[in-house]
Amino acid sequence: MFENDLTYLADKTMVVYTQEDIQLQRLMERNQLTETDAKNRMNAQMALKKKCELADAVIDNSGTIEYTAEQLEEILNEWGGLNNQ
């Protein structure tokens, strides 16, 4: 959404990020990419720091699934839940 200036289509934006080394490993495993190909794909995207600055909320996905879910629940509660539109 950020790269294509489409944020006007959403009321709020959220970025889910992880540490670069974890992101690289996950991308390589999920897409069966070489390290070079995975790094090229990551480098072709807007810098994660910039996305985090632009987002209304940020979730750190470096830990457990439970920790990620807790962060999401907290954000949704702050935003008034899923039904507050």
Side-chain angles (χ1 to χ4, degrees), residues 23-61:
Q23 180 183 9
L24 178 63
Q25 187 64 39
R26 289 177 180 173
L27 183 57
M28 289 169 56
E29 289 175 7
R30 185 188 70 217
N31 293 51
Q32 284 89 46
L33 297 175
T34 65
E35 184 173 342
T36 300
D37 288 341
K39 284 182 177 181
N40 287 340
R41 183 176 288 191
M42 289 168 58
N43 291 333
Q45 298 176 6
M46 177 186 289
L48 189 55
K49 181 178 179 182
K50 180 67 174 172
K51 288 180 188 179
C52 289
E53 291 171 0
L54 294 171
D56 295 301
V58 178
I59 292 179
D60 179 356
N61 191 24

Side-chain angles (χ1 to χ4, degrees), residues 62-79:
S62 300
T64 65
I65 292 173
E66 293 80 15
Y67 179 60
T68 301
E70 288 172 17
Q71 293 173 81
L72 176 59
E73 186 175 334
E74 184 178 311
I75 291 166
L76 292 177
N77 285 335
E78 288 175 11
W79 288 356

